[in-house]
Amino acid sequence: MSALDNTVTPQGPATPKGPVGGAAGSGAGGIVQFFTSRLREIGIFIALIVIVLLFQALTGGRLLTAGNVSNIIVQNSYILILAIGMVMIIIAGHIDLSVGSVAAFVGAVSGVLIVQWGLPWWLGIVLSLLLGAVVGMWQGFWVAYIGIPAFIVTLAGMLLFRGLTQMTLGNTQITPFPTEYRALGGGYLFPDLFPAATSPAEWITVALGALTLVLFVVSQVRQRAKRAALELQNEPQVAFLVKVIGGSALIAYLTYLLGVAPGSRGTPIVLVVLALLIIGYSTVMSRSVFGRHIYALGGNRTAAKLSGINTRRVDFMLFVNMGVLAALAGIVFTGRLNSAGPGAGNLFELDAIAASFIGGAAVQGGVGRVVGAIAGGLVMGVLNNGMSLMGISTDVQQFIKGLVLLLAVAFDVWNKNRTRG
């Protein structure tokens, strides 16, 4: 284990100074100082809440209906999956412009395997994910072992895999896909078990929501108790209570919308997939050696190499991981549309990059979080959905989304200059 294993602190900004072994700043000034020091981390969540409340008012309450919330999750699921891998790439100081083309290529190949060749749907999905890993190995090899900048490699990959997609499909679409395959992109967990006609609630969703709520509260309390036992600085009690009560209220409300409110259709399968990915990758980035190495590469690549980190291996594995996630996003998108077409995946890479930067990833690398990228992706999703409900044209939507991205990066630069000052 290298020296950086014990010295690199993930999650971006350093922990604010305060009394060891207790809450940081017990008074009002301390609470304000705490929130100011964490502005980069919590700013995206405040922005998401403000945007949701704004569009809830502007759309006359149509944004937070059961059916529309479910649609927001399903329609943006593949961008959120891509954002998880993209933020890891950006933290390490790279970029990936090929994920949209890779998603389209994998979707096309899965159509050939399952629809044209007649392979079982599950085998087609497994082979498609393996294809994504091979694509990631191809691009990782050029970046990590040949030393070509990721911008160039993935720009070439964007053209290469778009071309392969069109050659695979021959400018036609492949459809229809089996029901099980389509369920991954737009299906719900056991939709016939608690139908609305015979049950007052979708009890699977209610049970999952209650379990998530309990696990969230227990994990937060245990984490705070653990830091206190180790005599590490904790956040102020008010901030802790706001986080726990706010998070619990959000989980309870989402559970109500998906499982109890009029028009509820239960839990989208892709939401379960997303939850597992968020938990898994957040754990990797915050608690594993591999995660600390990624932050070290983005923070100072030369220092990371001198400390003994195998930077080539880390870069290679990052692109393999991105290839698998791009393949998964392609499968989800193809399943939702029930079609594999040559135009699939257009601009996916830009949406994933925007979600990462809006979610707090630093342009220079070294800073960012998986949860932040998800929040950034939801900001983009709510903006798209809210403006569509208001009947705003797509050209104005693009203008507003571009402005949001610019402001997010400007905030990152301003916040960095402020902390340096």
Side-chain angles (χ1 to χ4, degrees), residues 162-408:
R162 180 63 61 186
L164 285 176
T165 303
Q166 294 173 347
M167 285 188 278
T168 303
L169 295 174
N171 289 325
T172 60
Q173 294 187 342
I174 297 179
T175 190
F177 284 79
T179 302
E180 296 85 352
Y181 185 97
R182 286 186 278 126
L184 184 61
Y188 293 82
L189 282 178
F190 308 109
D192 299 327
L193 199 55
F194 298 105
T198 59
S199 176
E202 208 291 309
W203 294 110
I204 295 176
T205 301
V206 174
L208 288 175
L211 178 63
T212 304
L213 181 60
V214 170
L215 292 177
F216 171 73
V217 174
V218 170
S219 67
Q220 293 299 317
V221 172
R222 288 187 61 184
Q223 185 178 358
R224 185 174 178 83
K226 185 177 180 180
R227 292 183 64 84
L230 295 173
E231 297 186 347
L232 297 174
Q233 177 191 3
N234 257 322
E235 58 198 345
Q237 190 170 13
V238 173
F240 175 74
L241 290 176
V242 168
K243 182 174 67 175
V244 173
I245 294 174
S248 301
L250 177 63
I251 294 171
Y253 188 58
L254 188 60
T255 302
Y256 165 77
L257 287 177
L258 295 180
V260 181
S264 300
R265 288 175 286 182
T267 303
I269 293 175
V270 73
L271 178 60
V272 178
V273 174
L274 265 173
L276 294 175
L277 290 176
I278 293 169
I279 294 172
Y281 279 98
S282 295
T283 303
V284 167
M285 293 300 289
S286 61
R287 299 187 179 183
S288 74
V289 173
F290 182 68
R292 288 193 288 272
H293 285 178
I294 295 173
Y295 281 102
L297 259 63
N300 190 324
R301 179 171 292 269
T302 302
K305 186 179 296 184
L306 293 175
S307 69
I309 294 177
N310 189 339
T311 57
R312 290 182 173 179
R313 187 178 67 86
V314 175
D315 285 336
F316 181 77
M317 293 306 298
L318 275 173
F319 280 93
V320 173
N321 176 70
M322 188 72 254
V324 174
L325 289 178
L328 179 59
I331 293 169
V332 169
F333 183 75
T334 304
R336 191 176 79 82
L337 295 184
N338 189 25
S339 172
N346 278 331
L347 301 181
F348 279 12
E349 56 279 344
L350 298 186
D351 285 337
I353 293 170
S356 301
F357 286 131
I358 293 174
V363 179
Q364 295 82 3
V367 175
R369 294 195 306 163
V370 171
V371 176
I374 295 297
L378 288 176
V379 166
M380 299 286 285
V382 172
L383 281 174
N384 284 332
N385 187 269
M387 290 190 289
S388 296
L389 289 176
M390 294 174 63
I392 296 176
S393 59
T394 54
D395 51 350
V396 177
Q397 291 187 29
Q398 295 292 335
F399 171 80
I400 294 177
K401 286 163 60 179
L403 195 60
V404 169
L405 176 60
L406 181 63
L407 291 176

Side-chain angles (χ1 to χ4, degrees), residues 45-112:
F45 300 103
I46 296 174
L48 179 59
I49 293 171
V50 170
I51 290 172
V52 168
L53 294 178
L54 176 65
F55 278 109
Q56 175 71 355
L58 292 176
T59 58
R62 287 182 292 163
L63 183 74
L64 293 181
T65 60
N68 194 54
V69 169
S70 183
N71 286 337
I72 291 175
I73 295 171
V74 172
Q75 290 174 355
N76 295 280
S77 56
Y78 39 90
I79 298 300
L80 299 180
I81 291 172
L82 292 174
I84 293 174
M86 187 64 73
V87 75
M88 297 170 68
I89 293 279
I90 291 174
I91 290 172
H94 298 298
I95 199 77
D96 192 335
L97 302 177
S98 68
V99 293
S101 297
V102 175
F105 175 55
V106 172
V109 172
S110 69
V112 172

Side-chain angles (χ1 to χ4, degrees), residues 3-42:
L4 279 176
D5 294 340
N6 297 320
T7 57
V8 174
T9 302
Q11 309 300 325
T15 304
K17 295 178 180 179
V20 175
S26 56
I31 295 173
V32 172
Q33 183 184 9
F34 172 80
F35 279 112
T36 303
S37 66
R38 299 294 180 90
L39 193 57
R40 189 175 195 166
E41 297 176 46
I42 64 176

